Amino acid sequence: MLAVEHPLVIDADVQKSRKSQYEINPNIINRWSPRSFSGEVLSNQDLFKLFEAARWAPSSYNNQPWRFIYAKRESKQWDSLFDLLVDFNKQWCTNASVLVVIISKKTFEHNGMPSFTHQFDAGAAWENLALQATFQGLAAHAMQGFDYEKARRDLEIPDDYEVTVMVAIGKRASPEKLPQDLRQREVPSNRKPISEIVMEGKFGNHIGEP
Ligand SMILES: Cc1cc2nc3c(=O)[nH]c(=O)nc-3n(C[C@H](O)[C@H](O)[C@H](O)COP(=O)(O)O)c2cc1C
């Protein structure tokens, strides 16, 4: 049995605003959604590792409903993805290295029946992508602030696919690069306590933590 030791530790900055109640994989705590990006070019090698991580997500019937439409900042396709964003997201995404539109197939490939979990499956793929980005020293920031209908039209997405989310990917930069109002929000957020979100046996039966 091969023992793999990861040098992963919780990032000192992240630890200031995030305390985990139990000891878990530090990469999970280190993932957060910054808005200040360096704008530097991301190699295909680095980018495609993220899609590699995403495709290993589990899905109902292993249908793998996720699809990824990407544009790099220096490419001619950049504008067609960037133009989908609401103004709030445009102001910080201008320095992202890559934008991705995640879509998911609404039906099963083996029988054409509707899948009730295709977006849940795509969500698992997104989180794999985001955790891999963190592991590579990058950040991935999901967004629902964009024009879903325009995305379908402009990117020629077939009706059988749901437009799910956009993601900005890049290397983190100093908060100073952001407009004033966004600077103070450039810190990792905290979470509800386990006692509030976990119930034993039936709804409302919050037992607190062991
Ligand atoms: C589905 C989804 C949609 C989001 N949409 C936006 C968005 O449009 N703009 C934005 O700045 N952040 C957006 N976020 C980021 C969330 O605000 C962020 O994930 C949340 O506050 C938790 O913070 P963390 O990711 O840093 O842990 C989105 C996140 C998710 C998962």
Side-chain angles (χ1 to χ4, degrees):
M1 170 82 178
L2 191 66
V4 182
E5 269 194 11
H6 277 301
L8 277 170
V9 287
I10 300 178
D11 183 89
D13 278 348
V14 171
Q15 201 149 27
K16 280 183 208 151
S17 52
R18 292 187 155 175
K19 299 271 178 270
S20 60
Q21 293 176 249
Y22 292 85
E23 202 178 328
I24 57 169
N25 184 330
N27 200 49
I28 293 172
I29 312 284
N30 285 337
R31 183 220 57 80
W32 67 287
S33 306
R35 296 191 175 88
S36 185
F37 287 107
S38 71
E40 66 199 86
V41 173
L42 197 62
S43 71
N44 280 342
Q45 184 67 17
D46 284 343
L47 175 61
F48 276 72
K49 279 185 194 167
L50 306 183
F51 298 132
E52 175 69 34
R55 81 187 175 100
W56 289 104
S59 59
S60 181
Y61 282 94
N62 198 19
N63 197 49
Q64 301 162 61
W66 43 77
R67 302 288 185 272
F68 305 93
I69 302 174
Y70 78 92
K72 295 172 102 177
R73 192 155 167 268
E74 65 280 10
S75 75
K76 63 178 190 313
Q77 292 99 341
W78 172 261
D79 283 350
S80 63
L81 268 70
F82 186 80
D83 289 348
L84 303 173
L85 296 167
V86 297
D87 288 343
F88 174 79
N89 287 330
K90 273 184 181 157
Q91 60 177 328
W92 59 270
C93 280
T94 185
N95 285 321
S97 300
V98 181
L99 289 172
V100 182
V101 177
I102 302 183
I103 62 174
S104 62
K105 193 168 192 319
K106 294 191 274 190
T107 52
F108 287 112
E109 282 173 13
H110 67 279
N111 62 6
M113 296 297 282
S115 163
F116 295 110
T117 61
H118 65 92
Q119 297 218 60
F120 177 84
D121 301 339
W126 134 256
E127 180 68 357
N128 270 14
L129 182 155
L131 290 173
Q132 180 64 28
T134 308
F135 189 70
Q136 290 174 218
L138 300 166
H141 189 143
M143 292 171 288
Q144 57 98 53
F146 68 100
D147 188 330
Y148 281 67
E149 276 316 306
K150 185 171 164 58
R152 183 177 294 287
R153 275 195 316 274
D154 292 2
L155 310 184
E156 300 177 18
I157 296 165
D159 289 346
D160 197 21
Y161 289 81
E162 196 82 58
V163 179
T164 300
V165 82
M166 281 185 77
V167 181
I169 299 168
K171 223 183 205 140
R172 266 191 73 204
S174 154
E176 304 305 311
K177 277 191 85 167
L178 289 169
Q180 183 69 36
D181 53 326
L182 289 182
R183 275 184 217 163
Q184 68 218 46
R185 295 168 67 173
E186 193 70 346
V187 281
S189 56
N190 217 333
R191 289 297 184 269
K192 292 173 180 160
I194 293 177
S195 58
E196 189 179 334
I197 60 168
V198 178
M199 304 162 218
E200 187 176 18
K202 65 174 183 176
F203 189 86
N205 193 25
H206 299 268
I207 57 151
E209 288 124 46

